[in-house]
Amino acid sequence: MVEEEQKYEVDDTYVLPDLSPVAPAGGRVRALPPVTLVARYLDTVDLRLARAGASLRHRKGDELPWTVKLPTGTPGVRHEISRPGPKGQPPPELVELVTALHRGAPLAPVTVVRTVRHAHEVCDEAGTVLVEVVDDRVRVLDASGTATDAFRELEVELKSGDRELLERAGSVLREAGARGGSFTPKHVRALGPAAQADPDLVAPARLPDDPSAGDVVTEAVRKEVRRLLTHDPLVRLRAPAATGDTGDTAVHQMRVACRRLRSDLRTFQPLVRKSWSRPLRDELHWLAGVLGAARDAEVLRERLRGTADADPLSPLDAGAVDRLDEALAARQRVAHAAIDEALRSPRYLALVDALVLAARAPRLTRRAATPAARALPKLVARPWRRLTGPDGVDGLDPSSPDARWHAVRKQGKQTRYAVNAVAPAVDRAARRLSRALAGVQDVLGEHQDAAVAADTWLELAAERPADHEVAVTAGRLAERERESVRLMRARFPAAWHRATRRRRTRWLP
């Protein structure tokens, strides 16, 4: 689940105001009996979880006492995952969710927080809790149970209401003298400045006004490493991507990060040390391969329904479509099991460590000190020439086999990744080329998806030779996919013409 809350600082003299103005018409505020909560937080010796905005705790008295909270990139909004388990033994599943943060370092208790909580629920007319306002008096305990610090804070947590209600509650508290509205977790306050130090994973930042080629490389590496490691726990949870795109998946985004980072290291090869980049590219290739089967199943399952429903005037056998989907779902379960095994492996732990170090300080060559505007166009020109040459688009025609079109798609993808990486530091024409190449990739991507889907429907039917309904349905699905292939081949020349206009490519040598 996703938890969204705001915190406010108050002193011991603060009087909680009347919260009834927060409730909607017909609603009411319900005061709950006070409770005492004792939470023990686990972390590494150097507080890797706390510094990254995450936590792993055991809280006595909760129905599900073990909880992991993960940052979402929005202050006050976190993923919250709770599980049962004995006090001294965190559930392995929760420990795995913070793998990208602890990176194999031991987790041990780092602080104990005792909270006396007075909660007030703001309800609608039907009694549904919209917002919860809690008044917490907190004591930080040492190993002997002695209080070493104390503070008081208010929390406003969104339940079934909307953000406007969250802000309204905060406004009422501030008018009564509460301070803040920012977000600092209790255990971070308890642990002090060390828990508020920079996280191990260095975040992307704005390029300087006159960046070097190395600045651009560093920014590109940090961007994709962050994307990959952000989606690690979401892949384990089978959750959506952290992109805001409701149709996207964490598996897809993690795989994209692998591919883009590999592509960037290849494009920037003269600027990075080969002894450093080559092993990293190899390991990213391994991880992308592990993620690939699950991603393929995702795409095919979504495509199956879309293709089956494409012509309402010519419906397909619904039962046969369901059986095809069941076969894909079985493949997907196997693929997810393979991902789980890979993400639990020492090999993956070593890769995560390498990625964190890569984001901190990529191993650059002397050429990386060259101004970006002078060095980078030459590097992008290499994949561009491959894409436009006889082994690329120039050698492509409408009758070329699917594999040939797929090879051009891969060349186009690497070229687009290269253009994307350098665009912030080069002519605005680079951004125009990037957008046009995205259009080319849309056409080639649909072509590839349709071609693979057509083969898959027939392959699944062949696995059920006695199921005649599936055979007929698979054949009709394949026909629709091949029609999409033909349509994409017809659209490609126009998309390619837009990408190759001089105003988009003039910056390339």
Side-chain angles (χ1 to χ4, degrees):
M1 62 174 288
V2 175
E3 172 194 68
E4 183 171 358
E5 63 185 16
Q6 293 179 346
K7 290 179 180 287
Y8 299 87
E9 294 182 16
V10 294
D11 58 28
D12 286 337
T13 64
Y14 181 84
V15 177
L16 194 70
D18 177 17
L19 296 173
S20 58
V22 181
R28 65 189 181 92
V29 177
R30 182 167 57 211
L32 302 182
V35 295
T36 299
L37 307 169
V38 179
R40 182 182 301 270
Y41 289 85
L42 277 63
D43 209 329
T44 62
V45 170
D46 54 354
L47 305 181
R48 295 179 184 182
L49 273 61
R51 288 187 289 113
S55 65
L56 170 60
R57 78 174 184 214
H58 178 278
R59 193 159 74 181
K60 183 180 178 181
D62 286 354
E63 183 179 354
L64 299 174
W66 285 101
T67 298
V68 156
K69 294 190 179 185
L70 300 167
T72 63
T74 302
V77 182
R78 296 182 291 176
H79 297 286
E80 181 178 312
I81 307 96
S82 298
R83 298 289 184 268
K87 177 180 177 180
Q89 187 176 342
E93 177 189 354
L94 297 189
V95 175
E96 289 170 4
L97 286 180
V98 289
T99 294
L101 302 178
H102 64 65
R103 307 193 308 281
L107 297 172
V110 291
T111 190
V112 177
V113 174
R114 181 179 181 272
T115 302
V116 178
R117 168 166 294 180
H118 293 77
H120 296 76
E121 297 177 336
V122 179
C123 306
D124 64 12
E125 191 173 8
T128 302
V129 181
L130 305 176
V131 167
E132 184 180 53
V133 178
V134 300
D135 182 357
D136 285 344
R137 296 176 184 268
V138 183
R139 290 184 180 274
V140 182
L141 308 180
D142 62 16
S144 67
T146 302
T148 60
D149 192 12
F151 56 89
R152 183 184 176 193
E153 69 176 18
L154 307 179
E155 287 184 9
V156 184
E157 183 176 349
L158 197 60
K159 297 295 186 179
S160 300
D162 55 25
R163 265 197 77 81
E164 183 180 348
L165 205 60
L166 189 73
E167 296 297 337
R168 192 192 309 168
S171 178
V172 169
L173 297 178
R174 287 192 298 270
E175 287 175 3
R179 303 177 300 278
S182 60
F183 184 85
T184 303
K186 288 182 177 63
H187 73 291
V188 171
R189 291 186 65 177
L191 290 166
Q196 300 180 50
D198 291 336
D200 286 352
L201 180 61
V202 180
R206 283 189 59 188
L207 289 171
D209 291 338
D210 296 304
S212 68
D215 290 331
V216 176
V217 173
T218 300
E219 184 71 1
V221 169
R222 287 176 177 172
K223 180 180 177 182
E224 297 311 323
V225 169
R226 187 178 185 85
R227 185 204 301 256
L228 193 157
L229 297 184
T230 294
H231 285 91
D232 168 303
L234 302 182
V235 167
R236 298 173 192 266
L237 290 168
R238 313 284 190 259
T243 59
D245 181 349
T246 55
D248 204 359
T249 69
V251 168
H252 177 222
Q253 283 297 312
M254 196 172 186
R255 190 187 187 201
V256 166
C258 291
R259 288 182 161 184
R260 287 196 175 184
L261 188 49
R262 287 188 71 239
S263 178
D264 289 344
L265 292 174
R266 181 179 178 185
T267 298
F268 298 134
Q269 194 168 346
L271 308 177
V272 296
R273 295 188 182 278
K274 188 180 295 185
S275 60
W276 170 79
S277 65
R278 181 173 289 173
L280 194 54
R281 285 181 58 204
D282 289 344
E283 292 306 282
L284 289 166
H285 178 70
W286 161 71
L287 181 57
V290 172
L291 296 165
R295 176 56 185 164
D296 291 346
E298 287 177 353
V299 171
L300 286 165
R301 292 189 72 188
E302 182 177 356
R303 190 171 189 93
L304 172 63
R305 298 297 177 179
T307 304
D309 297 338
D311 185 358
L313 300 179
S314 182
L316 303 184
D317 185 304
V321 171
D322 286 343
R323 292 195 291 281
L324 289 170
D325 184 61
E326 289 168 5
L328 291 173
R331 290 187 179 186
Q332 191 173 22
R333 287 191 291 272
V334 172
H336 278 150
I339 291 175
D340 291 340
E341 182 178 356
L343 297 188
R344 293 179 183 128
S345 69
R347 183 177 184 178
Y348 178 70
L349 265 181
L351 174 57
V352 171
D353 244 344
L355 290 171
V356 171
L357 292 174
R360 186 178 303 164
R363 301 290 297 278
L364 306 175
T365 65
R366 291 181 179 179
R367 289 181 60 181
T370 307
R374 178 150 54 92
L376 298 181
K378 298 176 185 178
L379 299 183
V380 178
R382 294 179 181 179
W384 177 253
R385 284 194 294 268
R386 286 194 294 269
L387 175 61
T388 59
D391 292 331
V393 175
D394 280 358
L396 198 62
D397 65 64
S399 62
S400 296
D402 292 342
R404 183 77 181 78
W405 283 80
H406 181 45
V408 172
R409 174 182 177 248
K410 290 194 292 185
Q411 291 171 340
K413 185 173 288 189
Q414 183 182 350
T415 304
R416 184 190 169 206
Y417 288 164
V419 173
N420 281 348
V422 307
V426 187
D427 191 290
R428 70 173 61 181
R431 290 190 286 273
R432 296 193 189 106
L433 179 57
S434 176
R435 289 192 292 269
L437 286 174
V440 172
Q441 283 301 299
D442 286 344
V443 172
L444 293 175
E446 171 63 20
H447 179 285
Q448 173 66 7
D449 288 349
V452 169
D455 291 343
T456 301
W457 310 146
L458 298 178
E459 175 189 325
L460 292 175
E463 294 173 358
R464 295 167 170 252
D467 194 331
H468 301 298
E469 290 82 4
V470 163
V472 171
T473 300
R476 294 179 66 188
L477 286 166
E479 287 176 359
R480 292 180 181 182
E481 301 291 4
R482 294 310 305 180
E483 179 58 32
S484 183
V485 167
R486 288 188 288 273
L487 180 61
M488 292 304 106
R489 294 190 182 202
R491 288 182 180 174
F492 177 77
W496 181 243
H497 175 72
R498 286 192 293 272
T500 53
R501 294 180 66 179
R502 180 62 184 163
R503 70 189 185 95
R504 294 187 173 94
T505 62
R506 66 189 179 200
W507 60 282
L508 291 168

